[in-house]
Amino acid sequence: MPTAILSALPQEQSGLLAQLVQPQHLQHAGRSVWCGTLHGQSVVLALSGIGKVAAATTATALIERFGVARIVFTGVAGGVGTDVQVGDVVVAQDYVQHDMDASPLFARWELPGYGRQRLACDAALSALLLEAACACVSMAGCRFGLKYQAGHPRVHHGLVASGDRFVASAHEAQGLRAALLTAGHEVLAVEMEGAAVAQVCHDYGLPFAAVRTISDRADDSAHLDFPQFVRTVASRYAELIVQGLLQKL
């Protein structure tokens, strides 16, 4: 059973695709999927597109159509934690949907039918991913994206928030973080897909883990140099971290 590597954008896994052995390209449910071997492991590389619904559709297809054993999401995110900076790497411990609000029927952020606000990633798979991320950052140092980083990149492990909104103002990012923190949710990063994949994997009982490179601080400069950052920094980290993970499986 293959390992699925899922990303929202093609640039986020371009390095992985270039290394794929005996690649086979397929189109399924409107998604671009590549099957093959990577570092001795059977893998499926898939692009979800942007947003929670697109990510959930893709995750379901990977499970139902391709019979994957686990799903690993790699891509970029906006940093909202106080010590999370551009160029850092965040390995998700669990997820919250920051735009989920079915109140007054349910508490804000609670997933109806689940009785909880947060969904955990698979502990064992996340531990391996965290080891791979730490090894990558230690090895790579500041070779990638020197102009983006204020200091040596760091690896963080904790809560990530997803929602169908690109957070691109300091005011919104601060408000989002403060509201969640008041409820006991200390969020490190914000993106648009991971929580949906976590929910699908929870429903199917499939291991899920996610790693995100911080491309911006989810503020007014979030759009600046984004394509170049993804191409020169995030894709390189994804390539090395996934390599490290696959070698540990």
Side-chain angles (χ1 to χ4, degrees), residues 4 68-69 147 197 201 209 232 246:
V68 300
K147 75 172 187 175
V197 182
C201 288
T232 61
L246 293 176

Side-chain angles (χ1 to χ4, degrees), residues 10 22 31 35 59 65 70 80 92 104 112 121 126 132 140 142 146 157 163 167 192 205 217 219 223 229 248:
Q22 295 181 327
R31 302 296 188 269
C35 302
R65 169 65 175 80
R70 61 192 65 84
V80 294
C121 297
S126 295
C142 291
L146 288 176
H157 186 216
V167 180
M192 299 180 67
R217 281 287 301 168
D219 56 19
H223 63 288
F229 181 91
K248 293 176 182 295

Side-chain angles (χ1 to χ4, degrees), residues 4-42:
I5 309 299
L6 185 59
S7 302
L9 304 172
Q11 301 94 319
E12 291 171 329
Q13 58 177 227
S14 58
L16 297 171
L17 181 57
Q19 295 187 32
L20 195 63
V21 177
Q22 295 181 327
Q24 179 183 9
H25 183 232
L26 302 170
Q27 289 286 133
H28 180 72
R31 302 296 188 269
S32 182
V33 179
W34 291 85
C35 302
T37 302
L38 199 59
H39 306 294
Q41 295 281 346
S42 176

Side-chain angles (χ1 to χ4, degrees), residues 185-205:
H185 307 301
E186 188 168 358
V187 175
L188 297 178
V190 61
E191 36 92 318
M192 299 180 67
E193 296 86 24
V197 182
Q199 187 170 341
V200 171
C201 288
H202 175 275
D203 291 347
Y204 279 90

Side-chain angles (χ1 to χ4, degrees), residues 71-91:
I71 296 178
V72 177
F73 205 112
T74 177
V76 296
V80 294
T82 54
D83 60 344
V84 178
Q85 302 300 322
V86 173
D88 285 359
V89 175
V90 173
V91 175

Side-chain angles (χ1 to χ4, degrees), residues 103-118:
S103 59
L105 299 178
F106 300 89
R108 187 179 181 187
W109 302 304
E110 181 177 333
L111 294 170
Y114 291 78
R116 68 188 75 177
Q117 297 170 320
R118 294 158 65 157

Side-chain angles (χ1 to χ4, degrees), residues 69 82 104 109 137 146 210 214 221 225 244-245:
T82 54
W109 302 304
V137 168
L146 288 176
I214 302 302
S221 62
D225 290 333
L245 173 66

Side-chain angles (χ1 to χ4, degrees), residues 43-245:
V43 299
V44 178
L45 305 181
L47 299 175
S48 68
I50 296 172
K52 291 191 300 178
V53 174
T57 298
T58 311
T60 303
L62 288 170
I63 297 168
E64 293 278 3
R65 169 65 175 80
F66 295 93
V68 300
R70 61 192 65 84
I71 296 178
V72 177
F73 205 112
T74 177
V76 296
V80 294
T82 54
D83 60 344
V84 178
Q85 302 300 322
V86 173
D88 285 359
V89 175
V90 173
V91 175
Q93 178 174 310
D94 49 3
Y95 268 97
V96 61
Q97 294 185 37
H98 68 75
D99 56 352
M100 173 60 72
D101 189 354
S103 59
L105 299 178
F106 300 89
R108 187 179 181 187
W109 302 304
E110 181 177 333
L111 294 170
Y114 291 78
R116 68 188 75 177
Q117 297 170 320
R118 294 158 65 157
L119 287 178
C121 297
D122 183 79
L125 185 59
S126 295
L128 294 178
L129 190 59
L130 183 61
E131 289 179 15
C134 289
C136 169
V137 168
S138 176
M139 175 184 65
C142 291
R143 288 185 299 160
F144 309 139
L146 288 176
K147 75 172 187 175
Y148 301 100
Q149 298 166 340
H152 195 284
R154 300 173 59 194
V155 178
H156 309 265
H157 186 216
L159 179 63
V160 178
S162 301
D164 284 318
R165 179 173 179 81
F166 184 76
V167 180
S169 76
H171 176 75
E172 183 178 2
Q174 292 165 5
L176 173 64
R177 181 180 185 278
L180 286 164
L181 189 59
T182 299
H185 307 301
E186 188 168 358
V187 175
L188 297 178
V190 61
E191 36 92 318
M192 299 180 67
E193 296 86 24
V197 182
Q199 187 170 341
V200 171
C201 288
H202 175 275
D203 291 347
Y204 279 90
L206 198 78
F208 169 67
V211 59
R212 295 278 187 163
T213 303
I214 302 302
S215 59
D216 56 81
R217 281 287 301 168
D219 56 19
D220 304 83
S221 62
H223 63 288
L224 299 178
D225 290 333
F226 179 82
Q228 185 177 0
F229 181 91
V230 174
R231 183 174 62 255
T232 61
V233 183
S235 64
R236 296 299 307 280
Y237 276 128
E239 181 182 340
L240 292 174
I241 292 171
V242 170
Q243 174 182 338
L245 173 66

